Amino acid sequence: MRKILFITLVCSFIFASFESGLKMFGGSAGFMKDLEDDNTELYIAPKFGAFISDNLLLEGGLTYFKYEQCEDYYNYMTGTFYEECDDENETVMSFGARYFMNNIYFGAEYVPGLTLHLGTPAGTSSIAGVSDLSEGDAEMIIWKAGMMSSIAENIYLDVGLWLSKYLDDDIDHDGMLNVSAGVSYFWKD
């Protein structure tokens, strides 16, 4: 049994599924206008990666979020209403690496900021905000294990198991375990 396991591991290192130079790109963007109170949101969230050697993927992403909230106020001295708007924007990012053994991977991601999503059961989603974890010394590391399965040429289904942990020992939290699925597109120049 040990010999079979050893041969399997050696073969997975020799027969690389993902070659050096392969690139990955994805992400999302959106705009929302609240017709009731004139609030607006804009977000752009690209993600990208590149295999710097056979089976070693460096990856990262960022989210830019702009929010404008408008309120109507009444001026008692003039007897008129006026609108006052407050603009905020924030950018958060993360980066990490994954090592592949054929289609199975292990990796880690450093997370100094989070993107907060709202979604429906049918899959419609929007970014509701971002949170800069570094402002409260609440950065995280996400340990990843998963499998990529080819569903079409250059397109892979990514099923993963992630363990998120806070880096600051003063935060009393055991972590969060997530199971996820997503799609990634890879190409080579």
Side-chain angles (χ1 to χ4, degrees):
M1 182 65 167
R2 286 184 185 171
K3 287 181 185 179
I4 293 173
L5 180 60
F6 178 75
I7 290 170
T8 303
L9 285 173
V10 168
C11 288
S12 65
F13 285 109
I14 293 172
F15 301 110
S17 295
F18 297 98
E19 302 175 348
S20 178
L22 199 60
K23 296 174 180 72
M24 182 261 305
F25 181 76
S28 61
F31 175 81
M32 186 277 299
K33 175 82 169 168
D34 188 327
L35 300 176
E36 178 68 25
D37 56 15
D38 289 335
N39 294 342
T40 59
E41 295 177 3
L42 168 72
Y43 70 89
I44 302 168
K47 66 177 187 173
F48 44 87
F51 282 87
I52 60 169
S53 66
D54 288 353
N55 296 324
L56 182 59
L57 173 68
L58 291 185
E59 58 189 340
L62 63 91
T63 299
Y64 170 77
F65 183 75
K66 180 178 172 68
Y67 180 81
E68 180 180 77
Q69 182 176 8
C70 298
E71 297 286 334
D72 288 330
Y73 295 97
Y74 183 73
N75 185 329
Y76 291 101
M77 296 180 79
T78 62
T80 60
F81 283 94
Y82 67 96
E83 183 177 71
E84 194 171 293
C85 296
D86 183 30
D87 284 343
E88 292 184 29
N89 63 60
E90 183 135 21
T91 302
V92 296
M93 57 192 257
S94 68
F95 55 89
R98 288 190 270 175
Y99 186 79
F100 287 80
M101 294 182 287
N102 287 325
N103 291 351
I104 295 172
Y105 64 82
F106 302 95
E109 179 180 355
Y110 170 67
V111 184
L114 294 175
T115 305
L116 312 170
H117 290 266
L118 291 176
T120 68
T124 303
S125 68
S126 176
I127 290 181
V130 295
S131 178
D132 186 352
L133 299 176
S134 63
E135 289 176 358
D137 290 330
E139 295 99 329
M140 301 177 87
I141 189 158
I142 300 175
W143 299 103
K144 299 179 177 184
M147 186 171 82
M148 300 280 259
S149 301
S150 179
I151 54 177
E153 185 177 355
N154 299 335
I155 300 173
Y156 288 82
L157 175 65
D158 181 357
V159 178
L161 177 67
W162 307 339
L163 174 62
S164 305
K165 301 283 283 182
Y166 288 102
L167 292 175
D168 189 344
D169 291 335
D170 293 336
I171 298 175
D172 186 24
H173 195 282
D174 292 335
M176 294 157 280
L177 195 59
N178 300 295
V179 176
S180 70
V183 176
S184 294
Y185 175 74
F186 293 90
W187 82 95
K188 188 167 185 175
D189 294 333

